[in-house]
Amino acid sequence: MTHHDPKVLVTGGAGFIGANLVRTLLQHDFQVSVLDNLSTGRREHLQGLPVTLIQGDILDVRAVNDAVAENNYIVHLAAQTGVPGSLADPRRDCETNVIGTLNVLEACRHQWSQRIDADRSAGKFVLASSNAPLGRQPAPASEDKAALPIAPYGASKLAAEGYCLAYHGSWQLNTIVLRFGNVYGPFSAHKDSVVAKFFKDIRADGRLMVNGDGHQTRDFIHVEDLCRAVLLALRSNVSGEVFQIATGEETSILELASLVQEAAGVDACIEHGPARQGDIRTNYSAIAKVRRVLGWLPEIQLRDGLHQSWTWFDSYFAKHRS
Ligand SMILES: NC(=O)c1ccc[n+]([C@@H]2O[C@H](COP(=O)([O-])OP(=O)(O)OC[C@H]3O[C@@H](n4cnc5c(N)ncnc54)[C@H](O)[C@@H]3O)[C@@H](O)[C@H]2O)c1
């Protein structure tokens, strides 16, 4: 194998972001393997694609070592992916997000060490993180703010970020941390994120349940824009850095509800439930660093991205009619 064989392992590649990323990577001539325990991801997300799917767990050191072998690029998506799961079982959240990440980094350190000695550009490891490590910092989320996590999910992602940076500092592993905003798009029917939830609500009974007054804001990024950022990160010479990946734009949940109805071509009934405990009022990201260093900018407007996503959801619903 040469250093320049574009072979990539995507952990968690059968999930929402993974299903989209795998397609992007294939379009850019990567040979793709996926390590996924299929806990939330689905085999059907990869159906018909020239991808090696290894059904295994990132907590299984041998499975991780075998999966990392031969790959010089890693995108580490596999995780316990949300605040509620981390509140329900903080130990599992910690094991999956911290020890799981450590296992993948260790496999890279051992297997890439010779290559890295010979060529410092060999190997690239991209971690999927989020704004959760920043926790109670006021918006906008940015790389220069101290992490002040609120939920165990924020703490476990922060630890994973820390290990990525430490493996760069101690062993020159080429790691990059990407903190994703609220990602939406195709292959997210299994998710409980607000866009997926609204689409499913419309399909179920045409009622959109908004937590609290709906004036809380989020930064919604289309998964195709996000995948372009991951691709740039994989190919860049930059490492040991953290980047916010979002649009830099705030959208309130009520605005989103209106755009979702427009995309689906329906008039839904909006109902207000209680505000979620610990829900952050204003959340968006400053994206100057990724623009300057990686030359990345989001391109898909929320209105267009929601139309495209609804087309996918509509055909998903048609296929999965019970
Ligand atoms: N979707 C978002 O808005 C968002 C925002 C910020 C960060 N992220 C991060 O992006 C990554 C991907 O998230 P997603 O939205 O695609 O979620 P997802 O649940 O669709 O994907 C996660 C994948 O990881 C797999 N997985 C979970 N635990 C595993 C384990 N122990 N071993 C092997 N595989 C395992 C699941 O089966 C699934 O396929 C996660 O790290 C998540 O924290 C997502």
Side-chain angles (χ1 to χ4, degrees):
M1 181 170 87
T2 74
H3 303 325
H4 305 293
D5 281 345
K7 287 186 180 169
V8 61
L9 172 70
V10 182
T11 71
F16 158 43
I17 294 172
N20 289 279
L21 181 66
V22 162
R23 286 166 171 78
T24 301
L25 294 168
L26 289 171
Q27 280 161 14
H28 288 84
D29 299 324
F30 279 82
Q31 292 180 47
V32 183
S33 312
V34 164
L35 174 65
D36 199 302
N37 67 0
L38 301 179
S39 54
T40 59
R42 298 180 180 178
R43 196 177 284 276
E44 69 184 62
H45 285 168
L46 304 176
Q47 216 162 17
L49 299 179
V51 169
T52 307
L53 171 61
I54 305 156
Q55 188 171 349
D57 202 293
I58 53 169
L59 293 174
D60 177 346
V61 171
R62 184 186 285 187
V64 170
N65 285 339
D66 289 350
V68 166
E70 299 296 309
N71 287 291
N72 39 10
Y73 296 91
I74 310 285
V75 184
H76 182 44
L77 302 174
Q80 191 299 111
T81 63
V83 170
S86 79
L87 293 170
D89 192 345
R91 182 176 298 278
R92 210 193 105 237
D93 174 75
C94 176
E95 282 168 355
T96 306
N97 292 359
V98 185
I99 304 299
T101 301
L102 189 77
N103 287 344
V104 186
L105 285 168
E106 273 292 88
C108 294
R109 176 167 80 89
H110 290 302
Q111 298 186 29
W112 289 355
S113 57
Q114 283 179 348
R115 280 183 270 156
I116 288 169
D117 285 344
D119 174 358
R120 293 201 173 269
S121 68
K124 194 88 185 186
F125 180 108
V126 175
L127 173 74
S129 188
S130 91
N131 288 347
L134 290 171
R136 61 188 165 86
Q137 283 284 11
S142 70
E143 299 84 359
D144 53 1
K145 290 186 175 168
L148 298 171
I150 300 169
Y153 175 64
S156 65
K157 283 288 182 183
L158 175 60
E161 290 186 354
Y163 277 106
C164 286
L165 300 182
Y167 271 62
H168 178 256
S170 299
W171 295 291
Q172 293 76 51
L173 217 68
N174 293 324
T175 56
I176 286 199
V177 172
L178 302 182
R179 290 178 174 161
F180 304 160
N182 283 55
V183 193
Y184 70 95
F187 300 101
S188 59
H190 63 291
K191 299 290 294 184
D192 287 327
S193 48
V194 60
V195 173
K197 206 174 120 339
F198 278 175
F199 282 150
K200 289 188 278 188
D201 286 350
I202 282 179
R203 151 85 179 177
D205 58 9
R207 284 184 304 170
L208 300 184
M209 179 57 78
V210 170
N211 299 319
D213 65 11
H215 291 296
Q216 65 273 34
T217 62
R218 297 292 180 264
D219 188 332
F220 296 101
I221 175 167
H222 191 275
V223 70
E224 277 175 26
D225 275 336
L226 181 93
C227 289
R228 248 187 334 103
V230 175
L231 188 66
L232 276 174
L234 278 178
R235 287 177 163 169
S236 84
N237 294 324
V238 178
S239 41
E241 294 286 345
V242 178
F243 295 97
Q244 307 290 152
I245 308 292
T247 66
E249 283 171 26
E250 274 183 272
T251 304
S252 76
I253 300 303
L254 285 179
E255 284 172 85
L256 179 76
S258 144
L259 288 169
V260 160
Q261 292 176 71
E262 185 190 307
V266 298
D267 277 326
C269 167
I270 297 194
E271 292 180 1
H272 291 265
R276 273 205 315 204
Q277 206 193 349
D279 223 3
I280 291 167
R281 199 71 194 151
T282 305
N283 191 3
Y284 69 101
S285 305
I287 56 169
K289 180 176 174 186
V290 64
R291 179 183 187 162
R292 180 169 41 84
V293 179
L294 296 183
W296 174 88
L297 267 183
E299 290 173 354
I300 301 175
Q301 295 297 319
L302 185 54
R303 176 175 268 114
D304 300 336
L306 289 173
H307 271 99
Q308 185 256 28
S309 304
W310 172 254
T311 304
W312 183 87
F313 269 86
D314 202 28
S315 71
Y316 174 88
F317 293 145
K319 263 190 249 152
H320 294 80
R321 227 186 287 273
S322 51

